């Protein structure tokens, strides 16, 4: 009986190791997939890594479970996976988008949903890719959801995404100073952003800046 118990324990531990190795392999593929997507937008290299790290940090501070954090990280990395349906000329346009181009861009969350719902591993991570352009006041897309109708991971990510965009250089504008970006976030609390998420975000600014510095230093081609 002791020998059988030991053998079963070894088999169980081996299975755990195999599952862990498979999970790491999946996540490595997701990171490479993200990097490939970012190659299409000239100024976006590292954006997925930065936003995913910040989103997971805030979600952990807001006491979201470790199990859900796994899906949040994957969703954040793949938040713009739906842009595969958008021509690079539109993604990299420096001037104002036409009405048709704006409609094209606004289809990318729907494209993300269609892609991810077919993959069992990624279906639980769909909240961020599908809902991250929804806004607290209902002015977002694709569903025009309002307030807590928007899944919490998407509410967290949408703030992080805007913050990283504001504090990064783009071809059509220079990055905002941190104080200006913080003021923008405060001004849009209860309008674009969940007020509770804004409070946590503001309280975590020192740690957020530290994470951004570390990510920037660590970004290397995959």
């Amino acid at each position: 009986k002791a020998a059988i118990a030991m053998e079963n324990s070894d088999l169980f531990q081996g299975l755990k190791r195999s599952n862990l190795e498979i999970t790491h392999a999946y996540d490595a593929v997701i990171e490479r997939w993200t990097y490939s997507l970012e190659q299409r937008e000239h100024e976006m290299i590292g954006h997925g890594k930065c936003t995913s790290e910040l989103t997971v940090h805030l979600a952990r501070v807001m006491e979201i479970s470790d199990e859900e954090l796994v899906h949040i990280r994957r969703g954040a990395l793949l938040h713009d996976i739906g842009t595969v349906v958008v021509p690079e000329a539109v993604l990299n346009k420096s001037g104002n988008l036409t009405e048709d181009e704006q409609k094209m861009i606004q289809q990318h969350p729907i494209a993300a949903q269609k892609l991810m719902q077919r993959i069992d591993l990624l279906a639980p991570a769909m909240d961020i890719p599908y809902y991250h352009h929804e806004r607290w006041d209902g002015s977002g897309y694709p569903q025009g959801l309002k307030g807590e109708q928007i899944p919490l991971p998407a509410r967290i990510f949408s703030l992080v995404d805007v913050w990283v965009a504001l504090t990064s250089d783009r071809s059509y504008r220079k990055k905002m100073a941190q104080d200006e970006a913080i003021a923008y976030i405060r001004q849009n609390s209860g309008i674009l952003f969940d007020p509770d998420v804004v409070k946590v975000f503001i309280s975590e600014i020192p740690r957020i800046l530290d994470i951004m510095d570390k990510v920037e230093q660590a970004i290397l081609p995959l």
Side-chain angles (χ1 to χ4, degrees):
K1 288 182 179 179
I4 292 171
M6 290 177 65
E7 183 178 1
N8 287 342
S9 176
D10 288 343
L11 288 172
F12 178 69
Q13 292 301 323
L15 182 60
K16 284 178 65 177
R17 284 194 297 272
S18 296
N19 286 339
L20 187 61
E21 289 169 1
I22 290 170
T23 299
H24 286 331
Y26 275 134
D27 287 338
V29 169
I30 289 171
E31 288 194 16
R32 288 176 182 271
W33 198 356
T34 300
Y35 182 76
S36 296
L37 287 170
E38 290 174 345
Q39 296 292 314
R40 302 183 70 231
E41 295 186 67
H42 303 155
E43 299 169 322
M44 298 298 284
I45 301 299
H47 181 79
K49 178 71 171 175
C50 185
T51 54
S52 66
E53 293 288 338
L54 295 180
T55 301
V56 168
H57 173 71
L58 290 178
R60 184 176 286 117
V61 172
M62 297 183 74
E63 301 183 347
I64 291 178
S65 70
D66 289 344
E67 182 179 358
E68 191 170 355
L69 289 179
V70 172
H71 302 306
I72 286 173
R73 179 178 182 276
R74 290 171 179 166
L77 281 169
L78 295 173
H79 68 278
D80 271 344
I81 188 174
T83 59
V84 295
V85 303
V86 181
E88 287 187 39
V90 175
L91 291 176
N92 293 302
K93 187 174 180 178
S94 57
N96 293 330
L97 297 177
T98 66
E99 185 176 343
D100 286 343
E101 289 168 342
Q102 289 174 346
K103 289 179 179 178
M104 195 180 300
I105 290 286
Q106 290 178 3
Q107 289 298 306
H108 79 271
I110 297 169
Q113 183 192 42
K114 290 179 179 178
L115 285 168
M116 295 178 69
Q117 68 185 2
R118 299 175 184 176
I119 304 172
D120 290 342
L121 178 79
L122 296 181
M126 203 188 307
D127 279 353
I128 290 175
Y130 187 56
Y131 295 111
H132 72 283
H133 284 292
E134 302 288 357
R135 297 296 176 250
W136 185 256
D137 64 358
S139 63
Y141 64 87
Q143 296 292 329
L145 300 184
K146 187 175 183 178
E148 293 184 1
Q149 293 177 329
I150 307 165
L152 180 56
R155 282 182 264 150
I156 296 171
F157 180 85
S158 66
L159 192 158
V160 167
D161 193 34
V162 170
W163 165 262
V164 174
L166 291 177
T167 56
S168 302
D169 285 326
R170 294 289 183 263
S171 59
Y172 50 88
R173 62 159 173 77
K174 290 292 185 180
K175 65 182 180 182
M176 271 190 188
Q178 289 171 5
D179 288 347
E180 289 182 274
I182 291 171
Y184 179 88
I185 298 296
R186 289 184 188 276
Q187 289 165 6
N188 284 283
S189 176
I191 302 172
L192 303 182
F193 311 120
D194 179 341
D196 290 337
V197 176
V198 171
K199 288 177 185 176
V200 173
F201 181 87
I202 297 299
S203 70
E204 290 293 312
I205 285 291
R207 180 62 181 141
I208 285 166
L209 296 178
D210 182 54
I211 291 171
M212 292 178 74
D213 286 342
K214 289 180 178 177
V215 169
E216 184 176 353
Q217 294 170 16
I219 291 173
L220 294 171
L222 297 176

